[in-house]
Amino acid sequence: MNILVCDDDKEIVEAIEIYLKNEGYSILKAYNGLEALDILNNIEIHLIIMDIMMPKMDGMKTTNKIRETKNIPVIMLSAKSEDMDKIMGLNIGADDYITKPFNPLELIARVKSQLRRYTNLGSFTPKAGVYKTGELIVKDESKEVTVDGQLIKLTPLEYKILKFLTKNAGRVYSIDEIYEKVWNEPAYNPENTVAVHIRRIREKIEINPKEPKYLKVVWGIGYKMEKF
């Protein structure tokens, strides 16, 4: 699989390249956002590791641009560890976030986790996977979501959350349950991560995200997809 590593610190890029090549991945390198976009236009990429602070085009702007057309998993990489930076990264479409200095084993684990979700999402072919509530339709075979006939663009994690809740419309799930079902790992303080993804989904499927028709919060319990 092809992994694009984008960071203006060449030593970090080379170190990540060594770690991931040892795991059998093919690595492409970029040192700013413009170089990353050029590679994406010419080569099939399966995951991106993206630094935030870079010259010419930073990681936030680059990820936002990527999300206009592609659902490739993006792991944000930065020396900043404040919660606000993590939330900003998730808001513009990142799937995960890791801070420098990082443990190579943790980076490898996160890469494998994101690639596993991405490839499972692309290869899963259920027999009758069409889920509907009101005018929201999830077609799992083609991975298409429409609302009122309009195609909605979602990231892989957004799609998995929406499919899970739509498939089980009417049932309330706690934040921990949503995290464990979608991320396939034990929940550990998942509130911010789940809340950010839910907010992004609402912004895409709801006419008025502040007064949602479909994806609703059940205060003190969790979230549910309204059943129509």
Side-chain angles (χ1 to χ4, degrees):
M1 288 191 174
N2 295 332
I3 297 177
L4 172 60
V5 181
C6 185
D7 193 313
D8 62 323
D9 188 326
K10 293 188 177 182
E11 290 185 1
I12 289 178
V13 172
E14 290 172 1
I16 293 175
E17 180 182 24
I18 292 170
Y19 302 145
L20 296 182
K21 273 193 171 181
N22 286 339
E23 297 296 318
Y25 299 115
S26 177
I27 308 303
L28 294 99
K29 297 176 285 187
Y31 303 104
N32 61 65
L34 294 178
E35 290 181 4
L37 293 175
D38 185 57
I39 291 172
L40 282 165
N41 286 333
N42 293 285
I43 300 173
E44 182 179 8
I45 300 296
H46 303 102
L47 180 140
I48 304 167
I49 299 173
M50 180 77 66
D51 186 37
I52 289 182
M53 301 300 292
M54 294 184 295
K56 296 185 180 179
M57 181 180 283
D58 65 30
M60 294 288 191
K61 291 179 181 177
T62 306
T63 301
N64 198 35
K65 187 69 175 176
I66 291 167
R67 282 291 174 254
E68 291 179 4
T69 57
K70 299 180 185 296
N71 288 331
I72 304 166
V74 176
I75 299 176
M76 298 298 286
L77 184 65
S78 175
K80 297 181 179 180
S81 60
E82 292 85 355
D83 284 342
M84 186 54 65
D85 294 302
K86 296 180 182 180
I87 292 171
M88 284 178 62
L90 292 171
N91 267 326
I92 53 88
D95 297 283
D96 203 351
Y97 194 107
I98 191 167
T99 56
K100 306 177 198 173
F102 53 85
N103 183 320
L105 294 178
E106 180 185 3
L107 176 67
I108 291 167
R110 289 175 182 264
V111 165
K112 288 182 176 179
S113 177
Q114 290 298 329
L115 283 172
R116 184 167 59 250
R117 291 175 196 137
Y118 182 59
T119 54
N120 286 346
L121 185 68
S123 61
F124 182 56
T125 54
K127 294 180 180 178
V130 176
Y131 311 109
K132 184 178 185 296
T133 181
E135 296 304 316
L136 188 155
I137 302 172
V138 178
K139 297 179 181 179
D140 203 33
E141 187 169 357
S142 60
K143 303 296 180 286
E144 289 183 353
V145 175
T146 58
V147 179
D148 295 324
Q150 298 296 312
L151 188 64
I152 307 298
K153 291 183 179 180
L154 300 172
T155 68
L157 278 172
E158 290 169 1
Y159 175 84
K160 290 189 78 172
I161 293 170
L162 183 64
K163 187 191 81 170
F164 170 67
L165 292 174
T166 305
K167 183 178 179 180
N168 299 283
R171 179 175 171 181
V172 181
Y173 287 91
S174 70
I175 289 173
D176 283 1
E177 286 176 319
I178 293 171
Y179 188 91
E180 289 172 357
K181 291 288 187 181
V182 173
W183 275 260
N184 293 319
E185 59 191 34
Y188 180 72
N189 295 329
E191 289 80 7
N192 278 348
T193 299
V194 173
V196 166
H197 283 84
I198 292 289
R199 184 166 65 249
R200 281 164 40 191
I201 293 169
R202 277 178 168 167
E203 289 172 353
K204 295 178 180 181
I205 69 170
E206 303 284 2
I207 294 175
N208 182 0
K210 294 182 179 179
E211 295 182 5
K213 173 183 177 181
Y214 294 104
L215 188 43
K216 296 188 176 182
V217 62
V218 181
W219 295 109
I221 303 178
Y223 297 96
K224 74 168 182 176
M225 180 64 70
E226 199 68 77
K227 188 173 183 177
F228 296 97

